[in-house]
Amino acid sequence: MNQSTISPPLNFHRHEPELITPAKPTPHEFKALSDIDDQDGLRFQIPVIQVYPYNPSMEGVDPVKVIRKAISETLVFYYPFAGRLRELYPSRKLIVECTGEGILFIEADADITLHQSGDSFLPPFTYLEDLLFDVPGSNGVLNCPLLLIQVTRLKCGGFVLALRLNHTMSDGPGLVQFMSAVGEIARGKQVPSIVPVWERHILSATNPPNPTCFHPEYETSNYTNNQEVEDHDHVHRSFFFGSKEISTVRNLIPPHFQHCSTFEILTACMWRCRTIALQPNPTQIMRMTCVVNARYRGFNPPLIPEGYYGNGFVLPTVTSTAEQLIGNPVEYALELIRKAKQGVTREYIQSAVDTVVSKGRSHFEEEGTYIMSDTRGLGFREVDFGWGNAIYGGPPRAIPAMASYYIPYQNRKGENGTLLLLCLPATSMEIFMEELDNMLQQNPRNIKPSL
């Protein structure tokens, strides 16, 4: 189940970075981000990797030329991506100056085939720094390119598209929308099928901000004795959950919880296993944060319009002492998670936005926090630039000691399932792997690890 990594020798040839600008003149204007977009917790760059195999129907077609041209034409519609972020003082409000300067683009070649690469082009992507070159001076939040895209050709005719996004601009669904538009234009369309919508004001705070719900994700902890902070020797691993593993995990849950989603059940199990692995103080407050996107809440009328490509999620968070989380059966964690997700109403979302602003756009609490983001339904693998679906699409790694991702994945046996991306201190990872193996072999209610 644990995905191993084989690292064959690999040489890259990288061209000089270039700026891709919109194919036609675009407005020079200023556009404010939403109050969800510009919170401190999203002021960082997030990587995504797409791996495409050789397609005989595209023999002789250069993916670099096709994608470069399609990006330029797509930026006519998504021209804010070609601008630069500025910050207003003293409010710290972020705005995009639509300058038309463009996004960074890198053309590269690797002397390897997908078959030869083994697991190197799977999480945690041994050659991530080569597949996504960090152009010096480009990775800031302000006054820097908002997107960096590198296309690396492989000897077999396949290619890897890696990108880095300033997270304040978009979330996963928004990024997939942009990438899909590039794919459509690469395949010959003149206009994207989904027209991009800015409308960031819909996720802005009231004046004055008036939080009406409790948001523990933004409550600061004074606790400092945490191994997550002290141990910097982190390791990345990925774990595959096929139908057998999911069935086993579901069998750990009492019958009256079987209506819960696979996300909820698997996340409850991972939260408990991870807490055991970290060996925190029994009184340590552990937080479980689920990324919940307002696009998919079924509001009538919808809160977020079709075409919106900003950040549209909130971070409902539950808390428990480590002692309670580990000492109780897994359904204890499951019930907490389920109620938190159910509580994401229109009022809750507005309250979250108001909380962000009332706290000065402060970073969400990291102490004892575990964030789970589900990318399985976002469509990264279905982004098609003419070569068909990607065999891998989504974030390449977990965020060290803080956030995990669920990735849709097909293993070598052809079985579809979920890949969990995880990063922990080395000593904790060993405990996690042992605990997870125990969980898949017996009921965790019988496991009473000591704190």
Side-chain angles (χ1 to χ4, degrees):
M1 184 178 61
N2 178 25
Q3 306 295 300
S4 61
T5 300
I6 302 171
S7 303
L10 184 55
N11 294 317
F12 282 83
H13 173 69
R14 206 169 38 241
H15 293 240
E16 286 297 315
E18 60 183 293
L19 285 170
I20 297 181
T21 58
K24 299 176 182 179
T26 54
H28 186 177
E29 57 188 4
F30 293 86
K31 288 180 171 290
L33 296 186
S34 79
D35 289 324
I36 288 292
D37 292 328
D38 63 10
Q39 60 183 303
D40 269 359
L42 298 185
R43 296 187 183 200
F44 69 100
Q45 305 279 350
I46 187 166
V48 165
I49 283 195
Q50 307 283 116
V51 181
Y52 293 90
Y54 168 67
N55 184 333
S57 70
M58 301 299 283
E59 179 69 39
V61 180
D62 183 357
V64 169
K65 291 181 179 178
V66 170
I67 293 171
R68 181 195 284 121
K69 182 175 183 291
I71 290 171
S72 179
E73 294 176 6
T74 305
L75 286 175
V76 174
F77 303 96
Y78 288 85
Y79 63 89
F81 275 132
R84 301 292 183 265
L85 280 184
R86 319 297 188 202
E87 187 177 49
L88 302 179
Y89 294 95
S91 67
R92 302 184 64 236
K93 183 70 184 172
L94 293 182
I95 60 172
V96 184
E97 182 178 359
C98 300
T99 61
E101 291 174 75
I103 70 165
L104 270 176
F105 184 82
I106 303 171
E107 173 183 352
D109 294 276
D111 64 349
I112 198 170
T113 67
L114 270 179
H115 178 72
Q116 293 168 338
S117 70
D119 289 342
S120 298
F121 291 166
L122 294 174
F125 283 90
T126 308
Y127 300 104
L128 179 59
E129 288 72 23
D130 293 301
L131 293 166
L132 188 57
F133 178 63
D134 182 14
V135 178
S138 70
N139 63 2
V141 172
L142 301 177
N143 310 315
C144 287
L146 299 173
L147 271 168
L148 183 154
I149 297 177
Q150 178 174 328
V151 179
T152 303
R153 305 180 193 89
L154 306 177
K155 286 175 63 178
C156 58
F159 65 94
V160 177
L161 183 144
L163 66 80
R164 191 184 68 197
L165 167 73
N166 185 319
H167 203 340
T168 64
M169 286 293 291
S170 296
D171 57 10
L175 178 58
V176 170
Q177 180 181 310
F178 170 75
M179 294 169 65
S180 298
V182 174
E184 287 181 326
I185 289 177
R187 302 195 313 271
K189 290 198 70 170
Q190 301 299 309
V191 177
S193 58
I194 297 178
V195 178
V197 172
W198 187 258
E199 303 298 333
R200 305 290 172 112
H201 65 275
I202 64 176
L203 290 175
S204 294
T206 58
N207 188 16
N210 181 34
T212 57
C213 303
F214 178 53
H215 299 275
E217 60 271 28
Y218 298 110
E219 295 295 317
T220 303
S221 169
N222 294 321
Y223 192 93
T224 57
N225 184 23
N226 188 342
Q227 185 181 4
E228 291 177 81
V229 176
E230 294 175 349
D231 189 346
H232 299 288
D233 181 24
H234 295 111
V235 294
H236 291 268
R237 293 283 187 274
S238 58
F239 301 87
F240 180 74
F241 292 86
S243 57
K244 178 182 177 182
E245 288 80 15
I246 295 297
S247 178
T248 300
V249 170
R250 277 196 168 273
N251 286 337
L252 304 176
I253 307 301
H256 61 282
F257 282 102
Q258 288 302 318
H259 64 283
C260 294
S261 69
T262 297
F263 171 90
E264 293 165 346
I265 294 173
L266 191 57
T267 300
C269 292
M270 295 307 100
W271 185 26
R272 189 174 184 274
C273 282
R274 180 180 179 275
T275 302
I276 293 169
L278 289 171
Q279 298 182 307
N281 184 298
T283 60
Q284 166 76 34
I285 297 298
M286 309 304 292
R287 292 173 169 82
M288 182 69 240
T289 297
C290 298
V291 178
V292 175
N293 206 294
R295 292 172 175 84
Y296 311 129
R297 296 303 292 173
F299 295 134
N300 188 19
L303 176 62
I304 295 179
E306 183 182 30
Y308 186 88
Y309 60 103
N311 292 283
F313 63 85
V314 289
L315 301 166
T317 298
V318 294
T319 63
S320 171
T321 64
E323 186 174 42
Q324 288 177 308
L325 184 58
I326 295 173
N328 278 295
V330 71
E331 54 264 31
Y332 165 80
L334 175 58
E335 179 68 7
L336 290 175
I337 292 169
R338 188 183 66 85
K339 286 184 177 179
K341 288 184 62 187
Q342 287 180 337
V344 179
T345 61
R346 281 180 180 267
E347 179 187 358
Y348 178 93
I349 293 169
Q350 185 62 58
S351 177
V353 176
D354 286 4
T355 299
V356 167
V357 174
S358 67
K359 290 183 175 289
R361 309 187 193 285
S362 62
H363 201 289
F364 48 79
E365 174 59 40
E366 292 188 14
E367 186 76 20
T369 294
Y370 185 32
I371 301 174
M372 187 63 75
S373 180
D374 190 355
T375 74
R376 292 174 299 175
L378 301 188
F380 278 109
R381 283 172 57 185
E382 288 70 49
V383 173
D384 180 5
F385 301 103
W387 280 258
N389 289 355
I391 58 174
Y392 180 89
R397 296 174 181 171
I399 298 176
M402 188 173 184
S404 283
Y405 296 100
Y406 292 139
I407 308 288
Y409 184 70
Q410 185 179 81
N411 65 15
R412 288 191 176 90
K413 298 178 181 178
E415 180 184 9
N416 289 313
T418 295
L419 203 62
L420 168 73
L421 308 189
L422 181 70
C423 180
L424 287 173
T427 53
S428 297
M429 185 63 79
E430 293 300 318
I431 300 172
F432 177 89
M433 293 168 64
E434 180 180 353
E435 185 61 30
L436 182 57
D437 284 342
N438 289 337
M439 178 172 284
L440 293 175
Q441 294 172 18
Q442 60 180 306
N443 191 320
R445 284 175 286 185
N446 297 329
I447 302 171
K448 297 290 184 182
S450 63
L451 288 170

